[in-house]
Amino acid sequence: MPRITLLLCVALALCAAASTARPDTEQPAPPAAATPTTTPGPHQHFTATLVSLGLRFEDQSSAVEVGLATCDALDQNVTPSRVAELLTQSLPITPTEAELLILTSVDELCHKSLEGEKWP
């Protein structure tokens, strides 16, 4: 299976897990903006951090897409262990690499939404 298809599968799995973890009384979040074709500075730092940890993606936008899907899943109360399980099932990574991906996503991407910043 091509790598891009795997990335799409993991993003969809994380989104599905996030949607099933949402309480019934909560309104669904508005659709996320499309992933930009050019990667801004914070995204470059995120992908550079992944590379320094030995996690390589086919392209930066794929890595950012998985990272943002990870943030969304965590924001919707999907447990980190379930996110790691979905990542290892969908991507050719080990559980340790999944944990590194989750931690890097939290450090580099997820905090932006908590601070109210908008991605371009």
Side-chain angles (χ1 to χ4, degrees), residues 35-47 59-62 64 120:
T35 304
T37 55
T38 57
T39 306
H43 291 174
Q44 289 175 342
H45 191 264
F46 169 72
T47 56
D59 58 55
Q60 288 184 341
S61 63
S62 297
V64 171

mmCIF file with all atom_site columns, all heavy atoms in Angstrom, residues 35-47 59-62 64 120:
data_model
loop_
_atom_site.group_PDB
_atom_site.id
_atom_site.type_symbol
_atom_site.label_atom_id
_atom_site.label_alt_id
_atom_site.label_comp_id
_atom_site.label_asym_id
_atom_site.label_entity_id
_atom_site.label_seq_id
_atom_site.pdbx_PDB_ins_code
_atom_site.Cartn_x
_atom_site.Cartn_y
_atom_site.Cartn_z
_atom_site.occupancy
_atom_site.B_iso_or_equiv
_atom_site.pdbx_formal_charge
_atom_site.auth_seq_id
_atom_site.auth_comp_id
_atom_site.auth_asym_id
_atom_site.auth_atom_id
_atom_site.pdbx_PDB_model_num
ATOM 1   N N   . THR A 1 35  ? -5.499 21.237 4.736  1.00 0.00 ? 35  THR A N   1
ATOM 2   C CA  . THR A 1 35  ? -4.074 21.313 5.025  1.00 0.00 ? 35  THR A CA  1
ATOM 3   C C   . THR A 1 35  ? -3.411 22.194 3.976  1.00 0.00 ? 35  THR A C   1
ATOM 4   O O   . THR A 1 35  ? -3.606 21.996 2.781  1.00 0.00 ? 35  THR A O   1
ATOM 5   C CB  . THR A 1 35  ? -3.444 19.907 5.001  1.00 0.00 ? 35  THR A CB  1
ATOM 6   O OG1 . THR A 1 35  ? -4.137 19.085 5.925  1.00 0.00 ? 35  THR A OG1 1
ATOM 7   C CG2 . THR A 1 35  ? -1.971 19.965 5.350  1.00 0.00 ? 35  THR A CG2 1
ATOM 8   N N   . PRO A 1 36  ? -2.640 23.186 4.393  1.00 0.00 ? 36  PRO A N   1
ATOM 9   C CA  . PRO A 1 36  ? -2.014 24.076 3.424  1.00 0.00 ? 36  PRO A CA  1
ATOM 10  C C   . PRO A 1 36  ? -1.013 23.333 2.544  1.00 0.00 ? 36  PRO A C   1
ATOM 11  O O   . PRO A 1 36  ? -0.401 22.361 2.976  1.00 0.00 ? 36  PRO A O   1
ATOM 12  C CB  . PRO A 1 36  ? -1.302 25.123 4.290  1.00 0.00 ? 36  PRO A CB  1
ATOM 13  C CG  . PRO A 1 36  ? -1.183 24.509 5.638  1.00 0.00 ? 36  PRO A CG  1
ATOM 14  C CD  . PRO A 1 36  ? -2.289 23.500 5.759  1.00 0.00 ? 36  PRO A CD  1
ATOM 15  N N   . THR A 1 37  ? -0.852 23.821 1.326  1.00 0.00 ? 37  THR A N   1
ATOM 16  C CA  . THR A 1 37  ? 0.094  23.177 0.420  1.00 0.00 ? 37  THR A CA  1
ATOM 17  C C   . THR A 1 37  ? 1.524  23.567 0.753  1.00 0.00 ? 37  THR A C   1
ATOM 18  O O   . THR A 1 37  ? 2.448  22.835 0.459  1.00 0.00 ? 37  THR A O   1
ATOM 19  C CB  . THR A 1 37  ? -0.211 23.535 -1.044 1.00 0.00 ? 37  THR A CB  1
ATOM 20  O OG1 . THR A 1 37  ? -0.240 24.952 -1.171 1.00 0.00 ? 37  THR A OG1 1
ATOM 21  C CG2 . THR A 1 37  ? -1.547 22.953 -1.469 1.00 0.00 ? 37  THR A CG2 1
ATOM 22  N N   . THR A 1 38  ? 1.705  24.733 1.341  1.00 0.00 ? 38  THR A N   1
ATOM 23  C CA  . THR A 1 38  ? 3.036  25.114 1.796  1.00 0.00 ? 38  THR A CA  1
ATOM 24  C C   . THR A 1 38  ? 3.053  25.000 3.314  1.00 0.00 ? 38  THR A C   1
ATOM 25  O O   . THR A 1 38  ? 2.072  25.307 3.974  1.00 0.00 ? 38  THR A O   1
ATOM 26  C CB  . THR A 1 38  ? 3.398  26.557 1.376  1.00 0.00 ? 38  THR A CB  1
ATOM 27  O OG1 . THR A 1 38  ? 2.408  27.441 1.903  1.00 0.00 ? 38  THR A OG1 1
ATOM 28  C CG2 . THR A 1 38  ? 3.447  26.669 -0.133 1.00 0.00 ? 38  THR A CG2 1
ATOM 29  N N   . THR A 1 39  ? 4.166  24.586 3.843  1.00 0.00 ? 39  THR A N   1
ATOM 30  C CA  . THR A 1 39  ? 4.262  24.341 5.269  1.00 0.00 ? 39  THR A CA  1
ATOM 31  C C   . THR A 1 39  ? 4.846  25.565 5.957  1.00 0.00 ? 39  THR A C   1
ATOM 32  O O   . THR A 1 39  ? 5.978  25.943 5.695  1.00 0.00 ? 39  THR A O   1
ATOM 33  C CB  . THR A 1 39  ? 5.159  23.111 5.538  1.00 0.00 ? 39  THR A CB  1
ATOM 34  O OG1 . THR A 1 39  ? 4.641  22.023 4.785  1.00 0.00 ? 39  THR A OG1 1
ATOM 35  C CG2 . THR A 1 39  ? 5.175  22.760 6.987  1.00 0.00 ? 39  THR A CG2 1
ATOM 36  N N   . PRO A 1 40  ? 4.064  26.213 6.858  1.00 0.00 ? 40  PRO A N   1
ATOM 37  C CA  . PRO A 1 40  ? 4.575  27.379 7.559  1.00 0.00 ? 40  PRO A CA  1
ATOM 38  C C   . PRO A 1 40  ? 5.623  26.996 8.600  1.00 0.00 ? 40  PRO A C   1
ATOM 39  O O   . PRO A 1 40  ? 5.812  25.819 8.896  1.00 0.00 ? 40  PRO A O   1
ATOM 40  C CB  . PRO A 1 40  ? 3.335  27.973 8.211  1.00 0.00 ? 40  PRO A CB  1
ATOM 41  C CG  . PRO A 1 40  ? 2.340  26.900 8.264  1.00 0.00 ? 40  PRO A CG  1
ATOM 42  C CD  . PRO A 1 40  ? 2.683  25.921 7.176  1.00 0.00 ? 40  PRO A CD  1
ATOM 43  N N   . GLY A 1 41  ? 6.272  28.000 9.188  1.00 0.00 ? 41  GLY A N   1
ATOM 44  C CA  . GLY A 1 41  ? 7.351  27.807 10.140 1.00 0.00 ? 41  GLY A CA  1
ATOM 45  C C   . GLY A 1 41  ? 7.098  26.793 11.236 1.00 0.00 ? 41  GLY A C   1
ATOM 46  O O   . GLY A 1 41  ? 7.894  25.886 11.423 1.00 0.00 ? 41  GLY A O   1
ATOM 47  N N   . PRO A 1 42  ? 5.974  26.910 12.000 1.00 0.00 ? 42  PRO A N   1
ATOM 48  C CA  . PRO A 1 42  ? 5.746  25.932 13.067 1.00 0.00 ? 42  PRO A CA  1
ATOM 49  C C   . PRO A 1 42  ? 5.641  24.505 12.544 1.00 0.00 ? 42  PRO A C   1
ATOM 50  O O   . PRO A 1 42  ? 6.076  23.564 13.197 1.00 0.00 ? 42  PRO A O   1
ATOM 51  C CB  . PRO A 1 42  ? 4.422  26.382 13.687 1.00 0.00 ? 42  PRO A CB  1
ATOM 52  C CG  . PRO A 1 42  ? 4.302  27.814 13.334 1.00 0.00 ? 42  PRO A CG  1
ATOM 53  C CD  . PRO A 1 42  ? 4.973  27.962 12.002 1.00 0.00 ? 42  PRO A CD  1
ATOM 54  N N   . HIS A 1 43  ? 5.089  24.363 11.357 1.00 0.00 ? 43  HIS A N   1
ATOM 55  C CA  . HIS A 1 43  ? 4.990  23.021 10.779 1.00 0.00 ? 43  HIS A CA  1
ATOM 56  C C   . HIS A 1 43  ? 6.369  22.502 10.404 1.00 0.00 ? 43  HIS A C   1
ATOM 57  O O   . HIS A 1 43  ? 6.648  21.315 10.557 1.00 0.00 ? 43  HIS A O   1
ATOM 58  C CB  . HIS A 1 43  ? 4.080  23.009 9.553  1.00 0.00 ? 43  HIS A CB  1
ATOM 59  C CG  . HIS A 1 43  ? 2.638  23.235 9.892  1.00 0.00 ? 43  HIS A CG  1
ATOM 60  N ND1 . HIS A 1 43  ? 1.685  23.382 8.937  1.00 0.00 ? 43  HIS A ND1 1
ATOM 61  C CD2 . HIS A 1 43  ? 1.979  23.334 11.077 1.00 0.00 ? 43  HIS A CD2 1
ATOM 62  C CE1 . HIS A 1 43  ? 0.504  23.556 9.500  1.00 0.00 ? 43  HIS A CE1 1
ATOM 63  N NE2 . HIS A 1 43  ? 0.669  23.536 10.804 1.00 0.00 ? 43  HIS A NE2 1
ATOM 64  N N   . GLN A 1 44  ? 7.226  23.378 9.917  1.00 0.00 ? 44  GLN A N   1
ATOM 65  C CA  . GLN A 1 44  ? 8.585  22.963 9.574  1.00 0.00 ? 44  GLN A CA  1
ATOM 66  C C   . GLN A 1 44  ? 9.327  22.520 10.821 1.00 0.00 ? 44  GLN A C   1
ATOM 67  O O   . GLN A 1 44  ? 10.081 21.552 10.786 1.00 0.00 ? 44  GLN A O   1
ATOM 68  C CB  . GLN A 1 44  ? 9.338  24.093 8.867  1.00 0.00 ? 44  GLN A CB  1
ATOM 69  C CG  . GLN A 1 44  ? 8.838  24.339 7.467  1.00 0.00 ? 44  GLN A CG  1
ATOM 70  C CD  . GLN A 1 44  ? 9.504  25.531 6.807  1.00 0.00 ? 44  GLN A CD  1
ATOM 71  O OE1 . GLN A 1 44  ? 10.087 26.381 7.477  1.00 0.00 ? 44  GLN A OE1 1
ATOM 72  N NE2 . GLN A 1 44  ? 9.407  25.608 5.500  1.00 0.00 ? 44  GLN A NE2 1
ATOM 73  N N   . HIS A 1 45  ? 9.114  23.213 11.930 1.00 0.00 ? 45  HIS A N   1
ATOM 74  C CA  . HIS A 1 45  ? 9.761  22.824 13.180 1.00 0.00 ? 45  HIS A CA  1
ATOM 75  C C   . HIS A 1 45  ? 9.256  21.457 13.628 1.00 0.00 ? 45  HIS A C   1
ATOM 76  O O   . HIS A 1 45  ? 10.034 20.618 14.086 1.00 0.00 ? 45  HIS A O   1
ATOM 77  C CB  . HIS A 1 45  ? 9.525  23.878 14.261 1.00 0.00 ? 45  HIS A CB  1
ATOM 78  C CG  . HIS A 1 45  ? 10.368 23.671 15.470 1.00 0.00 ? 45  HIS A CG  1
ATOM 79  N ND1 . HIS A 1 45  ? 9.917  23.006 16.580 1.00 0.00 ? 45  HIS A ND1 1
ATOM 80  C CD2 . HIS A 1 45  ? 11.649 23.998 15.726 1.00 0.00 ? 45  HIS A CD2 1
ATOM 81  C CE1 . HIS A 1 45  ? 10.869 22.946 17.478 1.00 0.00 ? 45  HIS A CE1 1
ATOM 82  N NE2 . HIS A 1 45  ? 11.939 23.538 16.986 1.00 0.00 ? 45  HIS A NE2 1
ATOM 83  N N   . PHE A 1 46  ? 7.951  21.232 13.493 1.00 0.00 ? 46  PHE A N   1
ATOM 84  C CA  . PHE A 1 46  ? 7.359  19.937 13.843 1.00 0.00 ? 46  PHE A CA  1
ATOM 85  C C   . PHE A 1 46  ? 7.995  18.820 13.024 1.00 0.00 ? 46  PHE A C   1
ATOM 86  O O   . PHE A 1 46  ? 8.433  17.807 13.574 1.00 0.00 ? 46  PHE A O   1
ATOM 87  C CB  . PHE A 1 46  ? 5.841  19.993 13.605 1.00 0.00 ? 46  PHE A CB  1
ATOM 88  C CG  . PHE A 1 46  ? 5.151  18.658 13.687 1.00 0.00 ? 46  PHE A CG  1
ATOM 89  C CD1 . PHE A 1 46  ? 4.974  18.015 14.902 1.00 0.00 ? 46  PHE A CD1 1
ATOM 90  C CD2 . PHE A 1 46  ? 4.666  18.041 12.538 1.00 0.00 ? 46  PHE A CD2 1
ATOM 91  C CE1 . PHE A 1 46  ? 4.325  16.790 14.976 1.00 0.00 ? 46  PHE A CE1 1
ATOM 92  C CE2 . PHE A 1 46  ? 4.020  16.818 12.606 1.00 0.00 ? 46  PHE A CE2 1
ATOM 93  C CZ  . PHE A 1 46  ? 3.853  16.200 13.824 1.00 0.00 ? 46  PHE A CZ  1
ATOM 94  N N   . THR A 1 47  ? 8.060  19.004 11.706 1.00 0.00 ? 47  THR A N   1
ATOM 95  C CA  . THR A 1 47  ? 8.611  17.945 10.859 1.00 0.00 ? 47  THR A CA  1
ATOM 96  C C   . THR A 1 47  ? 10.107 17.764 11.092 1.00 0.00 ? 47  THR A C   1
ATOM 97  O O   . THR A 1 47  ? 10.602 16.643 11.056 1.00 0.00 ? 47  THR A O   1
ATOM 98  C CB  . THR A 1 47  ? 8.318  18.207 9.367  1.00 0.00 ? 47  THR A CB  1
ATOM 99  O OG1 . THR A 1 47  ? 8.811  19.490 8.998  1.00 0.00 ? 47  THR A OG1 1
ATOM 100 C CG2 . THR A 1 47  ? 6.828  18.126 9.083  1.00 0.00 ? 47  THR A CG2 1
ATOM 101 N N   . ASP A 1 59  ? 6.359  13.304 2.831  1.00 0.00 ? 59  ASP A N   1
ATOM 102 C CA  . ASP A 1 59  ? 6.472  14.755 2.672  1.00 0.00 ? 59  ASP A CA  1
ATOM 103 C C   . ASP A 1 59  ? 5.987  15.432 3.950  1.00 0.00 ? 59  ASP A C   1
ATOM 104 O O   . ASP A 1 59  ? 5.342  14.810 4.787  1.00 0.00 ? 59  ASP A O   1
ATOM 105 C CB  . ASP A 1 59  ? 5.701  15.256 1.444  1.00 0.00 ? 59  ASP A CB  1
ATOM 106 C CG  . ASP A 1 59  ? 4.228  14.906 1.490  1.00 0.00 ? 59  ASP A CG  1
ATOM 107 O OD1 . ASP A 1 59  ? 3.554  15.257 2.480  1.00 0.00 ? 59  ASP A OD1 1
ATOM 108 O OD2 . ASP A 1 59  ? 3.759  14.277 0.529  1.00 0.00 ? 59  ASP A OD2 1
ATOM 109 N N   . GLN A 1 60  ? 6.321  16.713 4.078  1.00 0.00 ? 60  GLN A N   1
ATOM 110 C CA  . GLN A 1 60  ? 5.987  17.447 5.295  1.00 0.00 ? 60  GLN A CA  1
ATOM 111 C C   . GLN A 1 60  ? 4.490  17.563 5.513  1.00 0.00 ? 60  GLN A C   1
ATOM 112 O O   . GLN A 1 60  ? 4.019  17.451 6.644  1.00 0.00 ? 60  GLN A O   1
ATOM 113 C CB  . GLN A 1 60  ? 6.606  18.849 5.255  1.00 0.00 ? 60  GLN A CB  1
ATOM 114 C CG  . GLN A 1 60  ? 8.097  18.864 5.438  1.00 0.00 ? 60  GLN A CG  1
ATOM 115 C CD  . GLN A 1 60  ? 8.636  20.284 5.493  1.00 0.00 ? 60  GLN A CD  1
ATOM 116 O OE1 . GLN A 1 60  ? 7.983  21.218 5.062  1.00 0.00 ? 60  GLN A OE1 1
ATOM 117 N NE2 . GLN A 1 60  ? 9.836  20.429 6.020  1.00 0.00 ? 60  GLN A NE2 1
ATOM 118 N N   . SER A 1 61  ? 3.737  17.790 4.451  1.00 0.00 ? 61  SER A N   1
ATOM 119 C CA  . SER A 1 61  ? 2.297  17.974 4.640  1.00 0.00 ? 61  SER A CA  1
ATOM 120 C C   . SER A 1 61  ? 1.642  16.701 5.172  1.00 0.00 ? 61  SER A C   1
ATOM 121 O O   . SER A 1 61  ? 0.682  16.768 5.943  1.00 0.00 ? 61  SER A O   1
ATOM 122 C CB  . SER A 1 61  ? 1.629  18.446 3.354  1.00 0.00 ? 61  SER A CB  1
ATOM 123 O OG  . SER A 1 61  ? 1.756  17.490 2.336  1.00 0.00 ? 61  SER A OG  1
ATOM 124 N N   . SER A 1 62  ? 2.141  15.535 4.790  1.00 0.00 ? 62  SER A N   1
ATOM 125 C CA  . SER A 1 62  ? 1.605  14.277 5.317  1.00 0.00 ? 62  SER A CA  1
ATOM 126 C C   . SER A 1 62  ? 1.880  14.162 6.809  1.00 0.00 ? 62  SER A C   1
ATOM 127 O O   . SER A 1 62  ? 1.008  13.750 7.581  1.00 0.00 ? 62  SER A O   1
ATOM 128 C CB  . SER A 1 62  ? 2.220  13.087 4.588  1.00 0.00 ? 62  SER A CB  1
ATOM 129 O OG  . SER A 1 62  ? 1.885  13.099 3.239  1.00 0.00 ? 62  SER A OG  1
ATOM 130 N N   . VAL A 1 64  ? 2.358  16.627 8.913  1.00 0.00 ? 64  VAL A N   1
ATOM 131 C CA  . VAL A 1 64  ? 1.539  17.633 9.598  1.00 0.00 ? 64  VAL A CA  1
ATOM 132 C C   . VAL A 1 64  ? 0.090  17.164 9.682  1.00 0.00 ? 64  VAL A C   1
ATOM 133 O O   . VAL A 1 64  ? -0.564 17.322 10.711 1.00 0.00 ? 64  VAL A O   1
ATOM 134 C CB  . VAL A 1 64  ? 1.654  19.009 8.899  1.00 0.00 ? 64  VAL A CB  1
ATOM 135 C CG1 . VAL A 1 64  ? 0.642  20.001 9.456  1.00 0.00 ? 64  VAL A CG1 1
ATOM 136 C CG2 . VAL A 1 64  ? 3.071  19.548 9.043  1.00 0.00 ? 64  VAL A CG2 1
ATOM 137 N N   . PRO A 1 120 ? -3.015 28.792 9.035  1.00 0.00 ? 120 PRO A N   1
ATOM 138 C CA  . PRO A 1 120 ? -3.384 29.420 7.754  1.00 0.00 ? 120 PRO A CA  1
ATOM 139 C C   . PRO A 1 120 ? -4.149 28.469 6.857  1.00 0.00 ? 120 PRO A C   1
ATOM 140 O O   . PRO A 1 120 ? -4.122 27.307 6.960  1.00 0.00 ? 120 PRO A O   1
ATOM 141 C CB  . PRO A 1 120 ? -2.051 29.768 7.111  1.00 0.00 ? 120 PRO A CB  1
ATOM 142 C CG  . PRO A 1 120 ? -0.971 29.287 8.003  1.00 0.00 ? 120 PRO A CG  1
ATOM 143 C CD  . PRO A 1 120 ? -1.609 28.676 9.216  1.00 0.00 ? 120 PRO A CD  1
#
